[in-house]
Every structure is written in structure tokens, then in C-alpha cells.
Amino acid sequence: MATILTVDDTASMRQMISFTLNSVGHEVIQASDGKEALKMLEGKKVDLVIADINMPNMDGITLLKSLRALADYKFTPILMLTTESQESIRQQGKVAGATGWIVKPFNPEQLLTVVKKVLG
């Protein structure tokens, strides 16, 4: 099973994602914003990152760009989690290297389907 980092400033959202992913055997690491996520990943490799876009300290797009700049995370799947349906935000994410999108609110089956797809 995979090690997955979930980054969201809402504790209940992190818990729901973790619970869903843990239920099928994935190991989940949680961070509350982009800065914390980068710190947690120092010297560590995860199989997938699921990050919210709108967060304090460091937003999801900035985190995405920062991760893509690291050799270890050039090709790691990164899913953006968002309530944003604006095409301009999606375009920014695509340009920065997002693997895909999960629009909030989502159901657990939807999350598991997308995760399974990107992990192969």
C-alpha cells in the first residue's frame, strides 16, 4: 500500500481523508499547510500528495511548485483538493504540475477511485 501526505488547513477534512485512505490500508501523514508539508517531507518520500488549494502560510499551488522543484517529487502524483471550480485556478495547477483534481465536497468512494487511478 501507499504512503500518502494529505495537506489541508481544516482538521475535519484531513481526518476524513485519512480515515478513508486508512480503511483500504494506506499510510497517511497529515499537514495543515504547505510549509508544514514541506518540512515533513524533508528526507522522506511519499507515493502521493493530496493538497488543498486555499490554505494559510503556503497555498496548494505554491506547495505544488515547490514539490515539483525537488528531484524526489518531480514525478510524484499530486492531487489538488478544492472547492474552486474556476478554470483559471485549474490552469495554474495544471501549469504547476498537478496530476489531477478532487472537488469538495466529495464522497469516500470517489476519493478512493481517483487515488487508485493515479497510483496505478
Side-chain angles (χ1 to χ4, degrees), residues 77-111:
I78 300 174
L79 296 172
M80 303 312 292
L81 192 61
T82 183
T83 54
E84 298 286 344
S85 55
Q86 282 180 306
E87 196 49 47
S88 61
I89 303 268
R90 281 180 179 245
Q91 201 49 47
Q92 281 180 12
K94 208 173 267 181
V95 169
T99 308
W101 295 86
I102 299 173
V103 179
K104 295 182 204 174
F106 57 87
N107 65 43
E109 291 76 32
Q110 186 185 5
L111 175 66

PDB file of all heavy atoms in Angstrom, residues 77-111:
ATOM      1  N   PRO A  77       2.663  11.689  -8.047  1.00  0.00           N
ATOM      2  CA  PRO A  77       1.314  12.209  -8.285  1.00  0.00           C
ATOM      3  C   PRO A  77       0.908  13.212  -7.195  1.00  0.00           C
ATOM      4  O   PRO A  77       1.122  12.960  -6.016  1.00  0.00           O
ATOM      5  CB  PRO A  77       0.419  10.964  -8.218  1.00  0.00           C
ATOM      6  CG  PRO A  77       1.324   9.796  -8.299  1.00  0.00           C
ATOM      7  CD  PRO A  77       2.678  10.249  -7.833  1.00  0.00           C
ATOM      8  N   ILE A  78       0.375  14.338  -7.619  1.00  0.00           N
ATOM      9  CA  ILE A  78      -0.108  15.357  -6.690  1.00  0.00           C
ATOM     10  C   ILE A  78      -1.521  15.737  -7.107  1.00  0.00           C
ATOM     11  O   ILE A  78      -1.741  16.214  -8.222  1.00  0.00           O
ATOM     12  CB  ILE A  78       0.809  16.610  -6.679  1.00  0.00           C
ATOM     13  CG1 ILE A  78       2.236  16.226  -6.265  1.00  0.00           C
ATOM     14  CG2 ILE A  78       0.236  17.671  -5.735  1.00  0.00           C
ATOM     15  CD1 ILE A  78       3.254  17.354  -6.360  1.00  0.00           C
ATOM     16  N   LEU A  79      -2.467  15.467  -6.210  1.00  0.00           N
ATOM     17  CA  LEU A  79      -3.870  15.795  -6.459  1.00  0.00           C
ATOM     18  C   LEU A  79      -4.236  17.065  -5.713  1.00  0.00           C
ATOM     19  O   LEU A  79      -3.893  17.208  -4.538  1.00  0.00           O
ATOM     20  CB  LEU A  79      -4.779  14.657  -5.980  1.00  0.00           C
ATOM     21  CG  LEU A  79      -4.626  13.315  -6.696  1.00  0.00           C
ATOM     22  CD1 LEU A  79      -5.450  12.251  -5.986  1.00  0.00           C
ATOM     23  CD2 LEU A  79      -5.037  13.430  -8.158  1.00  0.00           C
ATOM     24  N   MET A  80      -4.907  17.962  -6.379  1.00  0.00           N
ATOM     25  CA  MET A  80      -5.343  19.195  -5.751  1.00  0.00           C
ATOM     26  C   MET A  80      -6.789  19.014  -5.297  1.00  0.00           C
ATOM     27  O   MET A  80      -7.637  18.543  -6.054  1.00  0.00           O
ATOM     28  CB  MET A  80      -5.249  20.375  -6.728  1.00  0.00           C
ATOM     29  CG  MET A  80      -3.853  20.608  -7.309  1.00  0.00           C
ATOM     30  SD  MET A  80      -2.496  20.615  -6.110  1.00  0.00           S
ATOM     31  CE  MET A  80      -2.833  22.087  -5.179  1.00  0.00           C
ATOM     32  N   LEU A  81      -7.017  19.388  -4.052  1.00  0.00           N
ATOM     33  CA  LEU A  81      -8.328  19.250  -3.414  1.00  0.00           C
ATOM     34  C   LEU A  81      -8.896  20.644  -3.289  1.00  0.00           C
ATOM     35  O   LEU A  81      -8.245  21.510  -2.697  1.00  0.00           O
ATOM     36  CB  LEU A  81      -8.085  18.637  -2.036  1.00  0.00           C
ATOM     37  CG  LEU A  81      -9.235  18.125  -1.234  1.00  0.00           C
ATOM     38  CD1 LEU A  81      -9.938  17.000  -1.978  1.00  0.00           C
ATOM     39  CD2 LEU A  81      -8.723  17.602   0.093  1.00  0.00           C
ATOM     40  N   THR A  82     -10.064  20.889  -3.864  1.00  0.00           N
ATOM     41  CA  THR A  82     -10.528  22.263  -3.855  1.00  0.00           C
ATOM     42  C   THR A  82     -12.032  22.424  -3.985  1.00  0.00           C
ATOM     43  O   THR A  82     -12.707  21.544  -4.497  1.00  0.00           O
ATOM     44  CB  THR A  82      -9.844  23.044  -5.004  1.00  0.00           C
ATOM     45  OG1 THR A  82     -10.237  24.396  -4.952  1.00  0.00           O
ATOM     46  CG2 THR A  82     -10.196  22.466  -6.355  1.00  0.00           C
ATOM     47  N   THR A  83     -12.506  23.559  -3.515  1.00  0.00           N
ATOM     48  CA  THR A  83     -13.895  23.953  -3.752  1.00  0.00           C
ATOM     49  C   THR A  83     -13.906  24.855  -4.984  1.00  0.00           C
ATOM     50  O   THR A  83     -14.955  25.224  -5.475  1.00  0.00           O
ATOM     51  CB  THR A  83     -14.461  24.738  -2.550  1.00  0.00           C
ATOM     52  OG1 THR A  83     -13.574  25.824  -2.271  1.00  0.00           O
ATOM     53  CG2 THR A  83     -14.600  23.866  -1.332  1.00  0.00           C
ATOM     54  N   GLU A  84     -12.716  25.207  -5.457  1.00  0.00           N
ATOM     55  CA  GLU A  84     -12.577  26.103  -6.613  1.00  0.00           C
ATOM     56  C   GLU A  84     -12.967  25.386  -7.899  1.00  0.00           C
ATOM     57  O   GLU A  84     -12.431  24.340  -8.211  1.00  0.00           O
ATOM     58  CB  GLU A  84     -11.117  26.571  -6.773  1.00  0.00           C
ATOM     59  CG  GLU A  84     -10.578  27.369  -5.630  1.00  0.00           C
ATOM     60  CD  GLU A  84     -11.133  28.783  -5.568  1.00  0.00           C
ATOM     61  OE1 GLU A  84     -11.710  29.257  -6.570  1.00  0.00           O
ATOM     62  OE2 GLU A  84     -10.992  29.402  -4.509  1.00  0.00           O
ATOM     63  N   SER A  85     -13.880  25.975  -8.650  1.00  0.00           N
ATOM     64  CA  SER A  85     -14.203  25.383  -9.938  1.00  0.00           C
ATOM     65  C   SER A  85     -13.763  26.330 -11.054  1.00  0.00           C
ATOM     66  O   SER A  85     -14.000  26.080 -12.222  1.00  0.00           O
ATOM     67  CB  SER A  85     -15.697  25.095 -10.030  1.00  0.00           C
ATOM     68  OG  SER A  85     -16.426  26.265  -9.763  1.00  0.00           O
ATOM     69  N   GLN A  86     -13.104  27.425 -10.659  1.00  0.00           N
ATOM     70  CA  GLN A  86     -12.645  28.399 -11.647  1.00  0.00           C
ATOM     71  C   GLN A  86     -11.595  27.783 -12.563  1.00  0.00           C
ATOM     72  O   GLN A  86     -10.630  27.168 -12.116  1.00  0.00           O
ATOM     73  CB  GLN A  86     -12.016  29.604 -10.951  1.00  0.00           C
ATOM     74  CG  GLN A  86     -13.012  30.573 -10.375  1.00  0.00           C
ATOM     75  CD  GLN A  86     -12.281  31.727  -9.723  1.00  0.00           C
ATOM     76  OE1 GLN A  86     -11.422  31.518  -8.878  1.00  0.00           O
ATOM     77  NE2 GLN A  86     -12.616  32.930 -10.130  1.00  0.00           N
ATOM     78  N   GLU A  87     -11.770  27.986 -13.844  1.00  0.00           N
ATOM     79  CA  GLU A  87     -10.857  27.438 -14.844  1.00  0.00           C
ATOM     80  C   GLU A  87      -9.443  28.012 -14.676  1.00  0.00           C
ATOM     81  O   GLU A  87      -8.463  27.318 -14.879  1.00  0.00           O
ATOM     82  CB  GLU A  87     -11.405  27.716 -16.250  1.00  0.00           C
ATOM     83  CG  GLU A  87     -10.770  26.875 -17.331  1.00  0.00           C
ATOM     84  CD  GLU A  87     -10.699  25.370 -17.036  1.00  0.00           C
ATOM     85  OE1 GLU A  87     -11.712  24.784 -16.606  1.00  0.00           O
ATOM     86  OE2 GLU A  87      -9.617  24.780 -17.228  1.00  0.00           O
ATOM     87  N   SER A  88      -9.344  29.299 -14.271  1.00  0.00           N
ATOM     88  CA  SER A  88      -8.026  29.931 -14.124  1.00  0.00           C
ATOM     89  C   SER A  88      -7.206  29.242 -13.027  1.00  0.00           C
ATOM     90  O   SER A  88      -5.995  29.056 -13.166  1.00  0.00           O
ATOM     91  CB  SER A  88      -8.160  31.423 -13.813  1.00  0.00           C
ATOM     92  OG  SER A  88      -8.858  31.613 -12.596  1.00  0.00           O
ATOM     93  N   ILE A  89      -7.870  28.839 -11.941  1.00  0.00           N
ATOM     94  CA  ILE A  89      -7.178  28.142 -10.847  1.00  0.00           C
ATOM     95  C   ILE A  89      -6.727  26.767 -11.340  1.00  0.00           C
ATOM     96  O   ILE A  89      -5.606  26.349 -11.091  1.00  0.00           O
ATOM     97  CB  ILE A  89      -8.107  27.984  -9.614  1.00  0.00           C
ATOM     98  CG1 ILE A  89      -8.608  29.337  -9.143  1.00  0.00           C
ATOM     99  CG2 ILE A  89      -7.407  27.208  -8.512  1.00  0.00           C
ATOM    100  CD1 ILE A  89      -7.822  30.042  -8.097  1.00  0.00           C
ATOM    101  N   ARG A  90      -7.595  26.077 -12.051  1.00  0.00           N
ATOM    102  CA  ARG A  90      -7.236  24.758 -12.596  1.00  0.00           C
ATOM    103  C   ARG A  90      -6.055  24.881 -13.545  1.00  0.00           C
ATOM    104  O   ARG A  90      -5.162  24.040 -13.545  1.00  0.00           O
ATOM    105  CB  ARG A  90      -8.414  24.140 -13.352  1.00  0.00           C
ATOM    106  CG  ARG A  90      -9.432  23.524 -12.433  1.00  0.00           C
ATOM    107  CD  ARG A  90     -10.565  22.936 -13.247  1.00  0.00           C
ATOM    108  NE  ARG A  90     -11.522  22.338 -12.334  1.00  0.00           N
ATOM    109  CZ  ARG A  90     -11.777  21.040 -12.291  1.00  0.00           C
ATOM    110  NH1 ARG A  90     -11.196  20.210 -13.099  1.00  0.00           N
ATOM    111  NH2 ARG A  90     -12.645  20.570 -11.427  1.00  0.00           N
ATOM    112  N   GLN A  91      -6.064  25.935 -14.349  1.00  0.00           N
ATOM    113  CA  GLN A  91      -4.985  26.160 -15.317  1.00  0.00           C
ATOM    114  C   GLN A  91      -3.664  26.382 -14.580  1.00  0.00           C
ATOM    115  O   GLN A  91      -2.641  25.822 -14.968  1.00  0.00           O
ATOM    116  CB  GLN A  91      -5.334  27.356 -16.222  1.00  0.00           C
ATOM    117  CG  GLN A  91      -4.587  27.390 -17.527  1.00  0.00           C
ATOM    118  CD  GLN A  91      -4.614  26.066 -18.295  1.00  0.00           C
ATOM    119  OE1 GLN A  91      -5.653  25.436 -18.463  1.00  0.00           O
ATOM    120  NE2 GLN A  91      -3.467  25.606 -18.747  1.00  0.00           N
ATOM    121  N   GLN A  92      -3.698  27.177 -13.511  1.00  0.00           N
ATOM    122  CA  GLN A  92      -2.491  27.412 -12.698  1.00  0.00           C
ATOM    123  C   GLN A  92      -1.963  26.086 -12.160  1.00  0.00           C
ATOM    124  O   GLN A  92      -0.769  25.838 -12.177  1.00  0.00           O
ATOM    125  CB  GLN A  92      -2.804  28.310 -11.496  1.00  0.00           C
ATOM    126  CG  GLN A  92      -2.904  29.769 -11.790  1.00  0.00           C
ATOM    127  CD  GLN A  92      -3.219  30.552 -10.514  1.00  0.00           C
ATOM    128  OE1 GLN A  92      -3.144  30.035  -9.405  1.00  0.00           O
ATOM    129  NE2 GLN A  92      -3.580  31.806 -10.677  1.00  0.00           N
ATOM    130  N   GLY A  93      -2.870  25.254 -11.673  1.00  0.00           N
ATOM    131  CA  GLY A  93      -2.489  23.955 -11.131  1.00  0.00           C
ATOM    132  C   GLY A  93      -1.894  23.055 -12.189  1.00  0.00           C
ATOM    133  O   GLY A  93      -0.897  22.373 -11.965  1.00  0.00           O
ATOM    134  N   LYS A  94      -2.497  23.064 -13.370  1.00  0.00           N
ATOM    135  CA  LYS A  94      -2.020  22.238 -14.472  1.00  0.00           C
ATOM    136  C   LYS A  94      -0.600  22.657 -14.878  1.00  0.00           C
ATOM    137  O   LYS A  94       0.286  21.827 -15.033  1.00  0.00           O
ATOM    138  CB  LYS A  94      -2.978  22.381 -15.658  1.00  0.00           C
ATOM    139  CG  LYS A  94      -3.034  21.168 -16.549  1.00  0.00           C
ATOM    140  CD  LYS A  94      -4.116  21.312 -17.603  1.00  0.00           C
ATOM    141  CE  LYS A  94      -5.404  20.690 -17.099  1.00  0.00           C
ATOM    142  NZ  LYS A  94      -6.488  20.766 -18.060  1.00  0.00           N
ATOM    143  N   VAL A  95      -0.406  23.979 -15.026  1.00  0.00           N
ATOM    144  CA  VAL A  95       0.898  24.526 -15.391  1.00  0.00           C
ATOM    145  C   VAL A  95       1.945  24.176 -14.327  1.00  0.00           C
ATOM    146  O   VAL A  95       3.084  23.846 -14.634  1.00  0.00           O
ATOM    147  CB  VAL A  95       0.814  26.060 -15.602  1.00  0.00           C
ATOM    148  CG1 VAL A  95       2.186  26.694 -15.708  1.00  0.00           C
ATOM    149  CG2 VAL A  95      -0.016  26.361 -16.843  1.00  0.00           C
ATOM    150  N   ALA A  96       1.533  24.226 -13.051  1.00  0.00           N
ATOM    151  CA  ALA A  96       2.460  23.935 -11.946  1.00  0.00           C
ATOM    152  C   ALA A  96       2.748  22.438 -11.815  1.00  0.00           C
ATOM    153  O   ALA A  96       3.675  22.044 -11.109  1.00  0.00           O
ATOM    154  CB  ALA A  96       1.895  24.489 -10.635  1.00  0.00           C
ATOM    155  N   GLY A  97       1.954  21.589 -12.471  1.00  0.00           N
ATOM    156  CA  GLY A  97       2.245  20.158 -12.448  1.00  0.00           C
ATOM    157  C   GLY A  97       1.282  19.278 -11.686  1.00  0.00           C
ATOM    158  O   GLY A  97       1.626  18.158 -11.301  1.00  0.00           O
ATOM    159  N   ALA A  98       0.048  19.743 -11.466  1.00  0.00           N
ATOM    160  CA  ALA A  98      -0.940  18.915 -10.760  1.00  0.00           C
ATOM    161  C   ALA A  98      -1.283  17.686 -11.607  1.00  0.00           C
ATOM    162  O   ALA A  98      -1.426  17.774 -12.816  1.00  0.00           O
ATOM    163  CB  ALA A  98      -2.208  19.716 -10.486  1.00  0.00           C
ATOM    164  N   THR A  99      -1.401  16.544 -10.950  1.00  0.00           N
ATOM    165  CA  THR A  99      -1.767  15.304 -11.634  1.00  0.00           C
ATOM    166  C   THR A  99      -3.265  15.257 -11.881  1.00  0.00           C
ATOM    167  O   THR A  99      -3.728  14.723 -12.883  1.00  0.00           O
ATOM    168  CB  THR A  99      -1.354  14.086 -10.760  1.00  0.00           C
ATOM    169  OG1 THR A  99       0.021  14.244 -10.401  1.00  0.00           O
ATOM    170  CG2 THR A  99      -1.545  12.784 -11.503  1.00  0.00           C
ATOM    171  N   GLY A 100      -4.040  15.811 -10.925  1.00  0.00           N
ATOM    172  CA  GLY A 100      -5.492  15.787 -11.061  1.00  0.00           C
ATOM    173  C   GLY A 100      -6.168  16.626 -10.000  1.00  0.00           C
ATOM    174  O   GLY A 100      -5.501  17.263  -9.179  1.00  0.00           O
ATOM    175  N   TRP A 101      -7.509  16.601 -10.015  1.00  0.00           N
ATOM    176  CA  TRP A 101      -8.332  17.423  -9.125  1.00  0.00           C
ATOM    177  C   TRP A 101      -9.377  16.594  -8.427  1.00  0.00           C
ATOM    178  O   TRP A 101      -9.935  15.682  -9.033  1.00  0.00           O
ATOM    179  CB  TRP A 101      -9.069  18.495  -9.931  1.00  0.00           C
ATOM    180  CG  TRP A 101      -8.139  19.461 -10.544  1.00  0.00           C
ATOM    181  CD1 TRP A 101      -7.497  19.322 -11.741  1.00  0.00           C
ATOM    182  CD2 TRP A 101      -7.689  20.687 -10.003  1.00  0.00           C
ATOM    183  NE1 TRP A 101      -6.686  20.397 -11.963  1.00  0.00           N
ATOM    184  CE2 TRP A 101      -6.781  21.252 -10.923  1.00  0.00           C
ATOM    185  CE3 TRP A 101      -7.970  21.367  -8.817  1.00  0.00           C
ATOM    186  CZ2 TRP A 101      -6.162  22.471 -10.688  1.00  0.00           C
ATOM    187  CZ3 TRP A 101      -7.347  22.578  -8.599  1.00  0.00           C
ATOM    188  CH2 TRP A 101      -6.458  23.126  -9.527  1.00  0.00           C
ATOM    189  N   ILE A 102      -9.655  16.933  -7.195  1.00  0.00           N
ATOM    190  CA  ILE A 102     -10.790  16.373  -6.478  1.00  0.00           C
ATOM    191  C   ILE A 102     -11.562  17.585  -5.967  1.00  0.00           C
ATOM    192  O   ILE A 102     -11.005  18.419  -5.249  1.00  0.00           O
ATOM    193  CB  ILE A 102     -10.353  15.479  -5.302  1.00  0.00           C
ATOM    194  CG1 ILE A 102      -9.527  14.291  -5.804  1.00  0.00           C
ATOM    195  CG2 ILE A 102     -11.584  14.999  -4.529  1.00  0.00           C
ATOM    196  CD1 ILE A 102      -8.916  13.453  -4.693  1.00  0.00           C
ATOM    197  N   VAL A 103     -12.808  17.698  -6.379  1.00  0.00           N
ATOM    198  CA  VAL A 103     -13.615  18.855  -5.976  1.00  0.00           C
ATOM    199  C   VAL A 103     -14.380  18.531  -4.697  1.00  0.00           C
ATOM    200  O   VAL A 103     -14.993  17.479  -4.588  1.00  0.00           O
ATOM    201  CB  VAL A 103     -14.590  19.263  -7.107  1.00  0.00           C
ATOM    202  CG1 VAL A 103     -15.451  20.447  -6.677  1.00  0.00           C
ATOM    203  CG2 VAL A 103     -13.810  19.619  -8.377  1.00  0.00           C
ATOM    204  N   LYS A 104     -14.270  19.434  -3.711  1.00  0.00           N
ATOM    205  CA  LYS A 104     -15.009  19.289  -2.452  1.00  0.00           C
ATOM    206  C   LYS A 104     -16.417  19.815  -2.662  1.00  0.00           C
ATOM    207  O   LYS A 104     -16.569  20.796  -3.380  1.00  0.00           O
ATOM    208  CB  LYS A 104     -14.366  20.127  -1.340  1.00  0.00           C
ATOM    209  CG  LYS A 104     -12.993  19.739  -0.914  1.00  0.00           C
ATOM    210  CD  LYS A 104     -12.616  20.677   0.225  1.00  0.00           C
ATOM    211  CE  LYS A 104     -11.147  20.835   0.415  1.00  0.00           C
ATOM    212  NZ  LYS A 104     -10.814  21.840   1.404  1.00  0.00           N
ATOM    213  N   PRO A 105     -17.427  19.257  -2.046  1.00  0.00           N
ATOM    214  CA  PRO A 105     -17.366  18.040  -1.233  1.00  0.00           C
ATOM    215  C   PRO A 105     -17.308  16.806  -2.137  1.00  0.00           C
ATOM    216  O   PRO A 105     -17.804  16.825  -3.252  1.00  0.00           O
ATOM    217  CB  PRO A 105     -18.687  18.080  -0.450  1.00  0.00           C
ATOM    218  CG  PRO A 105     -19.609  18.870  -1.335  1.00  0.00           C
ATOM    219  CD  PRO A 105     -18.750  19.841  -2.099  1.00  0.00           C
ATOM    220  N   PHE A 106     -16.674  15.761  -1.644  1.00  0.00           N
ATOM    221  CA  PHE A 106     -16.564  14.529  -2.417  1.00  0.00           C
ATOM    222  C   PHE A 106     -16.970  13.377  -1.508  1.00  0.00           C
ATOM    223  O   PHE A 106     -16.998  13.512  -0.298  1.00  0.00           O
ATOM    224  CB  PHE A 106     -15.129  14.320  -2.916  1.00  0.00           C
ATOM    225  CG  PHE A 106     -14.121  14.284  -1.812  1.00  0.00           C
ATOM    226  CD1 PHE A 106     -13.824  13.098  -1.152  1.00  0.00           C
ATOM    227  CD2 PHE A 106     -13.480  15.449  -1.404  1.00  0.00           C
ATOM    228  CE1 PHE A 106     -12.914  13.070  -0.106  1.00  0.00           C
ATOM    229  CE2 PHE A 106     -12.557  15.426  -0.364  1.00  0.00           C
ATOM    230  CZ  PHE A 106     -12.286  14.235   0.282  1.00  0.00           C
ATOM    231  N   ASN A 107     -17.276  12.229  -2.111  1.00  0.00           N
ATOM    232  CA  ASN A 107     -17.585  11.088  -1.257  1.00  0.00           C
ATOM    233  C   ASN A 107     -16.377  10.162  -1.197  1.00  0.00           C
ATOM    234  O   ASN A 107     -15.510  10.210  -2.076  1.00  0.00           O
ATOM    235  CB  ASN A 107     -18.876  10.373  -1.717  1.00  0.00           C
ATOM    236  CG  ASN A 107     -18.730   9.754  -3.087  1.00  0.00           C
ATOM    237  OD1 ASN A 107     -17.719   9.136  -3.412  1.00  0.00           O
ATOM    238  ND2 ASN A 107     -19.739   9.918  -3.913  1.00  0.00           N
ATOM    239  N   PRO A 108     -16.273   9.344  -0.167  1.00  0.00           N
ATOM    240  CA  PRO A 108     -15.106   8.470   0.019  1.00  0.00           C
ATOM    241  C   PRO A 108     -14.807   7.565  -1.186  1.00  0.00           C
ATOM    242  O   PRO A 108     -13.647   7.396  -1.557  1.00  0.00           O
ATOM    243  CB  PRO A 108     -15.461   7.645   1.253  1.00  0.00           C
ATOM    244  CG  PRO A 108     -16.392   8.525   2.018  1.00  0.00           C
ATOM    245  CD  PRO A 108     -17.183   9.261   0.976  1.00  0.00           C
ATOM    246  N   GLU A 109     -15.853   7.026  -1.825  1.00  0.00           N
ATOM    247  CA  GLU A 109     -15.626   6.144  -2.980  1.00  0.00           C
ATOM    248  C   GLU A 109     -14.943   6.899  -4.109  1.00  0.00           C
ATOM    249  O   GLU A 109     -14.070   6.378  -4.783  1.00  0.00           O
ATOM    250  CB  GLU A 109     -16.958   5.559  -3.498  1.00  0.00           C
ATOM    251  CG  GLU A 109     -17.606   4.563  -2.566  1.00  0.00           C
ATOM    252  CD  GLU A 109     -18.303   5.210  -1.364  1.00  0.00           C
ATOM    253  OE1 GLU A 109     -18.819   6.355  -1.497  1.00  0.00           O
ATOM    254  OE2 GLU A 109     -18.318   4.595  -0.290  1.00  0.00           O
ATOM    255  N   GLN A 110     -15.357   8.138  -4.301  1.00  0.00           N
ATOM    256  CA  GLN A 110     -14.787   8.988  -5.346  1.00  0.00           C
ATOM    257  C   GLN A 110     -13.290   9.204  -5.075  1.00  0.00           C
ATOM    258  O   GLN A 110     -12.461   9.067  -5.969  1.00  0.00           O
ATOM    259  CB  GLN A 110     -15.548  10.318  -5.334  1.00  0.00           C
ATOM    260  CG  GLN A 110     -15.206  11.283  -6.427  1.00  0.00           C
ATOM    261  CD  GLN A 110     -15.930  12.610  -6.223  1.00  0.00           C
ATOM    262  OE1 GLN A 110     -16.613  12.838  -5.214  1.00  0.00           O
ATOM    263  NE2 GLN A 110     -15.776  13.500  -7.169  1.00  0.00           N
ATOM    264  N   LEU A 111     -12.958   9.506  -3.821  1.00  0.00           N
ATOM    265  CA  LEU A 111     -11.566   9.706  -3.427  1.00  0.00           C
ATOM    266  C   LEU A 111     -10.743   8.441  -3.701  1.00  0.00           C
ATOM    267  O   LEU A 111      -9.684   8.501  -4.307  1.00  0.00           O
ATOM    268  CB  LEU A 111     -11.472  10.085  -1.938  1.00  0.00           C
ATOM    269  CG  LEU A 111     -10.062  10.211  -1.361  1.00  0.00           C
ATOM    270  CD1 LEU A 111      -9.309  11.386  -1.988  1.00  0.00           C
ATOM    271  CD2 LEU A 111     -10.103  10.371   0.147  1.00  0.00           C
TER     272      LEU A 111
END
